[in-house]
Amino acid sequence: MSDAPVPTGPFSVPTRLDHVGIACHDLGASIEFYRRTYGFEVEHEEVNEEQGVREAMLRVNGTDDGGATYLQLLEPTREDSPVAKFLARNGEGVHHLAFGTDDVAASAAGIADRGVRVLDAEPRTGTAGSKIVFLHPKDCGGVLTELVQSSH
Ligand code: V0V
Ligand code: CO
């Protein structure tokens, strides 16, 4: 066991699992799989040109901070995008985890202080106007990790 303190503050710690990002070749087919198999419905769909994805958010459950937990289905819009690269290497599957926080910049700064590389110097625009940053998977046990602050 490490002697390092468990982070409880003063930085803004993530409070929930916001979404699991899943890379797929065909967004429509993937949406249909989750609808048919589990009954999950699309709450929001958009194209994010900066990230090179067409994506759908499927609500799984609400959370006690008033947020929710989603599956985020991701289809690449261009060959040089992170999701296209991931699909070429691994095929379809889990691409990232996203933790929800009330203050993404403060959370990222606190996590950077703990020696984890934050890939975005400034938060970028995520789904439905949210603010997002990514943490390097090599510093997170092989898990590409996102921090997200929702717009509402
Ligand atoms: C790459 N690697 C991963 C990974 N992608 N490991 C775990 N999970 C992933 N998803 C590993 C890869 O196997 C290599 O390991 C190493 O990282 C370098 O990967 P690379 O693809 O060759 O190189 P990079 O450095 O060009 O790209 C990797 C990173 C990139 C993670 C830096 O994908 C990135 O910046 N991702 C953040 C943006 C993103 O993913 N956007 C799409 C979701 P070895 O072979 O060296 O061991 S957009 C989204 O979620 C939105 C909009 C939202 O939530 O609202
Ligand atoms: Co995401």
Side-chain angles (χ1 to χ4, degrees):
M1 284 289 284
S2 157
D3 290 336
V6 172
T8 54
F11 85 96
S12 181
V13 297
T15 52
R16 64 196 165 84
L17 180 64
D18 186 277
H19 63 266
V20 177
I22 298 170
C24 63
H25 290 295
D26 180 338
L27 188 64
S30 190
I31 289 170
E32 180 52 21
F33 170 78
Y34 283 99
R35 196 192 62 74
R36 179 180 75 229
T37 309
Y38 307 107
F40 299 152
E41 301 284 356
V42 175
E43 186 172 293
H44 179 78
E45 214 174 319
E46 72 178 57
V47 172
N48 184 322
E49 292 293 356
E50 186 180 36
Q51 297 292 336
V53 293
R54 176 174 297 110
E55 51 129 321
M57 295 296 272
L58 279 56
R59 188 185 170 98
V60 177
N61 60 268
T63 55
D64 55 10
D65 65 353
T69 301
Y70 300 90
L71 297 180
Q72 180 177 53
L73 306 180
L74 302 158
E75 180 193 291
T77 57
R78 48 183 162 82
E79 282 311 305
D80 62 347
S81 62
V83 172
K85 251 175 128 174
F86 179 93
L87 281 168
R89 187 178 289 159
N90 307 291
E92 296 187 313
V94 174
H95 178 261
H96 67 273
L97 293 185
F99 294 119
T101 166
D102 288 342
D103 186 337
V104 73
S107 293
I111 289 167
D113 281 349
R114 285 154 176 82
V116 172
R117 276 170 290 171
V118 177
L119 294 169
D120 307 286
E122 296 292 331
R124 296 182 189 277
T125 302
T127 193
S130 58
K131 291 185 198 169
I132 61 174
V133 302
F134 284 90
L135 310 177
H136 203 290
K138 295 294 176 189
D139 295 345
C140 299
V143 179
L144 176 60
T145 304
E146 174 189 336
L147 305 174
V148 56
Q149 176 182 345
S150 75
S151 61
H152 43 267

